[in-house]
Amino acid sequence: MPGLGNVTMETIEQALYVVATPIGNLADMTYRAVHILSGVDLIAAEDTRTTSVLLNHYNIRTPMKSYHARNVAQQTPLLIDLLKQSKSLALVSDAGTPTISDPGYHLVRAAVEADIRVIPIPGASAVLAALMAGGLPTHNFVFEGFLPQKKGRHTKIARLAEESRTIVLYESPHRIHKTVDQLLEAWGDRPCVMARELTKKFETIHHTTLSGLQHHIRDKKVKGELVLVIHGATDKKNSS
Ligand code: SAM
């Protein structure tokens, strides 16, 4: 790898490495992430097909096991057993930072309970990338992930109406119209940002207001992955 200078890469330990991977642009992989993924005994991947594209790109030959929402109960104890047998393991999600809105949390929790060292390897994250380019206050923010689709949705939206911190949501392109309509009705008009396809070829970061966004997407099919960043309820603490 070019450009490492005199940085020495660490020795791989018996540990669970929680490794961030790119959210679109493969060049957002860190040197350290490549080193760890190349050196561990096994990679637990949310989607082995997606991760194999990344591994091929970086010529990483480490074996993978799938670890996703539907096999968490069955795979967690097996992976913890491997760690107890002095194996090193890396956890990666479909994209971005594992454990943020994905099932990786369960494995980390189990490793902590089993006294196994957990080592974070930070990198790309859709939440942080959206905040970085959003231009809304970031001294405080609240990440709510995906809003509930049905049960609890109205309660959650109503509860957040008084939230003074900047609010970050993940949203699917199929529900964005409904979400913007409901937020505008419940929260009133406010500055917001729709960050779409971050780090990818068709990245667009739309700095607007909830009513402006409603207008912008009206009668349009929105495509790609989305993060919504919305100004908190007006509060002096949040305007620095
Ligand atoms: N662990 C990931 C992270 O660190 O960002 C997030 C996983 S979550 C299951 C997937 C959601 O993240 C998508 O539905 C979308 O809301 C958001 N997301 C992921 N990649 C994105 C991108 N390149 N641009 C915008 N949003 C993205």
Side-chain angles (χ1 to χ4, degrees), residues 23 95-97 100-101 126 146 170-171 197-198 200 225-227:
I23 55 170
T97 298
I100 307 299
S101 288
F146 293 97
Y170 283 160
E171 194 44 281
E197 295 288 88
L198 287 162
K200 302 185 197 175
E225 297 195 281
L226 305 174
V227 183

Side-chain angles (χ1 to χ4, degrees), residues 19-30 33-34 37 50-51 53-55 57-58 92-98 122-126 198-200 225:
V19 182
T21 58
I23 55 170
N25 189 327
L26 288 184
D28 283 336
M29 190 72 176
T30 67
V34 173
L37 293 183
T50 308
T51 301
V53 174
L54 181 74
L55 299 193
H57 190 81
Y58 286 99
V92 299
S93 68
D94 191 5
T97 298
S125 145
L198 287 162
T199 78
K200 302 185 197 175
E225 297 195 281

Side-chain angles (χ1 to χ4, degrees), residues 1-2 26 29-31 33-40 43 50-64:
M1 270 188 295
L26 288 184
M29 190 72 176
T30 67
Y31 287 121
V34 173
H35 172 69
I36 300 294
L37 293 183
S38 305
V40 290
I43 299 170
T50 308
T51 301
S52 62
V53 174
L54 181 74
L55 299 193
N56 287 339
H57 190 81
Y58 286 99
N59 212 11
I60 297 169
R61 300 279 166 246
T62 309
M64 278 190 283

Side-chain angles (χ1 to χ4, degrees), residues 57-147:
H57 190 81
Y58 286 99
N59 212 11
I60 297 169
R61 300 279 166 246
T62 309
M64 278 190 283
K65 265 216 175 345
S66 75
Y67 186 76
H68 49 69
R70 294 174 309 285
N71 70 6
V72 160
Q74 172 200 336
Q75 288 288 67
T76 303
L78 299 178
L79 295 173
I80 294 296
D81 273 353
L82 286 176
L83 283 160
K84 284 182 177 162
Q85 292 160 30
S86 298
K87 300 285 185 202
S88 53
L89 203 89
L91 170 69
V92 299
S93 68
D94 191 5
T97 298
T99 77
I100 307 299
S101 288
D102 74 45
Y105 154 81
H106 296 279
L107 185 58
V108 174
R109 181 79 245 150
V112 170
E113 280 165 5
D115 249 342
I116 290 159
R117 190 164 172 214
V118 179
I119 304 177
I121 311 293
S125 145
V127 183
L128 295 183
L131 282 168
M132 284 159 76
L136 293 180
T138 46
H139 281 73
N140 300 298
F141 65 89
V142 53
F143 171 60
E144 284 289 338
F146 293 97
L147 288 171

Side-chain angles (χ1 to χ4, degrees), residues 78-228:
L78 299 178
L79 295 173
I80 294 296
D81 273 353
L82 286 176
L83 283 160
K84 284 182 177 162
Q85 292 160 30
S86 298
K87 300 285 185 202
S88 53
L89 203 89
L91 170 69
V92 299
S93 68
D94 191 5
T97 298
T99 77
I100 307 299
S101 288
D102 74 45
Y105 154 81
H106 296 279
L107 185 58
V108 174
R109 181 79 245 150
V112 170
E113 280 165 5
D115 249 342
I116 290 159
R117 190 164 172 214
V118 179
I119 304 177
I121 311 293
S125 145
V127 183
L128 295 183
L131 282 168
M132 284 159 76
L136 293 180
T138 46
H139 281 73
N140 300 298
F141 65 89
V142 53
F143 171 60
E144 284 289 338
F146 293 97
L147 288 171
Q149 286 182 37
K150 290 195 177 106
K151 196 165 175 278
R153 184 176 172 91
H154 284 285
T155 318
K156 170 67 72 99
I157 291 175
R159 196 165 53 72
L160 285 171
E162 300 304 316
E163 174 58 64
S164 61
R165 294 169 289 182
T166 293
I167 300 158
V168 187
L169 301 175
Y170 283 160
E171 194 44 281
S172 105
H174 315 292
R175 279 188 299 275
I176 185 71
H177 297 85
K178 176 177 164 188
T179 297
V180 171
D181 289 350
Q182 290 179 336
L183 296 186
L184 183 58
E185 193 182 327
W187 299 355
D189 208 8
R190 306 170 174 199
C192 78
V193 177
M194 182 173 78
R196 199 180 68 84
E197 295 288 88
L198 287 162
T199 78
K200 302 185 197 175
K201 188 173 175 193
F202 297 108
E203 174 181 276
T204 49
I205 302 174
H206 194 62
H207 301 84
T208 179
T209 55
L210 283 172
S211 64
L213 184 56
Q214 185 186 53
H215 181 75
H216 177 71
I217 62 177
R218 182 172 296 150
D219 302 328
K220 278 196 196 122
K221 192 170 157 74
V222 178
K223 288 189 191 154
E225 297 195 281
L226 305 174
V227 183
L228 269 185

